[in-house]
Amino acid sequence: MSKPKVLQVGPLSERFNRELAEQYEVSALWQQAEPLAFLREHGEQFIYMVSSARFGCTVDQLALLPNLRAICSFGVGYDPYPLELLRDRGIVLSTTPDVLNDCVADLAMGLMIDSARRLSEADRFVRSGAWNSTTGFPLARRVSGKRLGIVGLGRIGEAVALRASGFSMPVRYHNRRAVEGSPYQHEPDLLALARWADFLVLTCPGGKATHHLINAEVLEALGPDGFLINVARGSVVDEAALITALQQKVIGGAGLDVFEREPQVPAALRELDNVVLLPHVGSGSVETRQQMADLVLDNLRAFIATGKLLTPL
Ligand code: 8YV
């Protein structure tokens, strides 16, 4: 029996690429010299697509895939997919929820501690040889007991809140609607949450609805003792406003795992000591990435066998 054909938009781990190729007849779109010309010629063969929260897919690609029925995406984000078009065409999309909650929440805690206690900066201080008998490292800010404001209390936000309880941090959150049954106080006014919080942690989805939600006004409300932590999407923060706020000490500091134009990180950010910069590694542990990969393959297998995805969006 011939293997089902799968269109893979971008490369994932070597192991994933290998496992996919063992089970399916895979066409690697990114390896085509002219991806759209390839789709024009072969697009109608594909019913299944594999992509990721990084690569997504475009309207132009979809126009050349008239028989596409399912996209299995690696990652929990869905902002690079034209969702309305998918809905209109009846194309279903699976993501990889839950398996990455712990790692992303761990990283958010790491960024809170790093930015407030200045761990990365202190590491640079030691490495540079600046530590000597007369020069100690300047004092930092306490984390335990501080107020945590979560923007976007979903599965990852809940995991951050749970960890924060071990640090005796009171938690409030901002969502458009209150989360039913949540033990945390809902704050419908984002500015009020920013004024209240010592740490504002972003765990909301990206996309139009949250574009530049964190602007100069919110940063001003967070204030000179406040820290912004972004493990969501770069698009949620007005990066230019954030750079100004960090330069002028409008906020105390920031910890960022995501940026507006990845992998580009503005030089102005790289020059600042009051920001911790990570290369989008929220889910980046061996264990979690393996679980995410398995879930993509499980979704694909389930859809081919039953017409239903395991974790549809
Ligand atoms: C992914 C992410 O690893 O899950 C997401 O939405 O942002 C990351 O966990 C990455 O984007 C997948 O390519």
Side-chain angles (χ1 to χ4, degrees), residues 76-154:
V76 76
Y78 46 83
D79 41 312
Y81 292 97
L83 291 187
E84 268 175 42
L85 177 61
L86 294 185
R87 212 170 300 132
D88 290 348
R89 295 255 314 257
I91 299 168
V92 290
L93 170 69
S94 66
T95 59
T96 58
D98 290 324
V99 293
L100 45 63
N101 296 351
D102 284 340
C103 267
V104 180
D106 291 351
L107 195 88
M109 295 309 293
L111 281 173
M112 280 164 59
I113 297 170
D114 193 336
S115 54
R117 297 297 305 272
R118 303 167 68 167
L119 300 189
S120 293
E121 194 187 344
D123 177 271
R124 291 193 290 274
F125 178 81
V126 174
R127 284 172 201 276
S128 72
W131 189 26
N132 58 42
S133 51
T134 49
T135 319
F137 190 71
L139 297 183
R141 288 285 175 173
R142 181 189 291 194
V143 175
S144 289
K146 292 294 178 69
R147 295 191 283 222
L148 171 61
I150 296 178
V151 179
L153 187 76

Side-chain angles (χ1 to χ4, degrees), residues 12 52-55 74-78 96 100 104 232-233 280 282-283 289 292:
L12 291 165
S52 76
R54 181 167 154 217
F55 304 116
F74 180 91
V76 76
Y78 46 83
T96 58
L100 45 63
V104 180
R233 282 293 179 262
H280 198 148
S283 66
R289 287 285 168 86
M292 291 163 69

Side-chain angles (χ1 to χ4, degrees), residues 6-12 16-17 20 26-30 49-50:
V6 171
L7 179 69
Q8 188 179 357
V9 175
L12 291 165
F16 178 89
N17 296 346
L20 191 71
V26 180
S27 294
L29 191 60
W30 77 96
M49 175 191 277
V50 164

